[in-house]
Amino acid sequence: MWSIGDPGGVGDSAYADGLRAAVPVAIEYGLAAIGHGETHESPVPSELLLQARHAARSSVGLDTVLRRYFAGYTLLADALVSEVGAVLRGDEVERLLGRLALRADRLLAAVGAEYTSERESRPGTAEQRLGEQLACLLAGEQVSPALLDYRFDDF
């Protein structure tokens, strides 16, 4: 996860500290999905939503944020298979992985929505927001075309 964008390169030590603090919270959130029944839904921890807002304020791209969560999900799923794969039947492992995937999907949706909400609520002129979006594009990050306020359909 740390290889996906250097959190120290953001220039905001509070962001990097928050990222380190969010990792165990995200892991616990994923593990809770495995331990509870399939119908159990718990809200996304507020620490993770706060970190999404902090990432948006620190101009960390949404693709970087989501890729970090996906990397964490992948590592957790691999650890799960390696720990229980020899003990449980295949269908039981699949059920556990399904719970974990469902929880990861909810997490990605909530973090993405929180990030987007924060980015859209940021003060500043339209030109400043456009400049930030263009900087993200030039850095190779994905940007929603809707945020650019440009009619791409005309081409």
Side-chain angles (χ1 to χ4, degrees):
M1 289 185 299
W2 299 112
S3 66
I4 301 171
D6 178 15
V10 171
D12 182 355
S13 62
Y15 169 76
D17 292 343
L19 185 59
R20 278 188 283 282
V23 169
V25 174
I27 292 171
E28 183 58 38
Y29 181 71
L31 289 174
I34 297 166
H36 295 292
E38 294 177 30
T39 60
H40 178 75
E41 285 189 40
S42 62
V44 173
S46 60
E47 298 92 340
L48 302 181
L49 299 177
L50 176 65
Q51 187 61 19
R53 289 191 301 272
H54 203 120
R57 287 191 300 271
S58 299
S59 297
V60 175
L62 179 58
D63 64 322
T64 298
V65 172
L66 295 179
R67 286 177 58 220
R68 284 185 178 138
Y69 278 107
F70 186 75
Y73 159 76
T74 302
L75 291 172
L76 193 54
D78 288 348
L80 173 68
V81 168
S82 120
E83 288 297 317
V84 300
V87 179
L88 298 177
R89 294 186 328 261
D91 62 326
E92 292 172 321
V93 173
E94 286 178 12
R95 192 170 35 259
L96 291 178
L97 286 173
R99 289 181 194 166
L100 182 60
L102 182 60
R103 182 66 57 100
D105 182 61
R106 287 187 198 130
L107 176 62
L108 292 174
V111 166
E114 196 74 18
Y115 179 99
T116 301
S117 174
E118 180 67 25
R119 285 295 289 239
E120 291 174 351
S121 70
R122 292 181 65 192
T125 66
E127 290 80 17
Q128 288 171 324
R129 288 189 298 277
L130 178 60
E132 290 175 1
Q133 294 299 317
L134 291 175
C136 288
L137 279 173
L138 291 172
E141 298 174 4
Q142 293 182 355
V143 175
S144 168
L147 297 176
L148 293 176
D149 192 27
Y150 185 83
R151 293 181 45 116
F152 289 97
D153 297 354
D154 293 343
F155 294 98

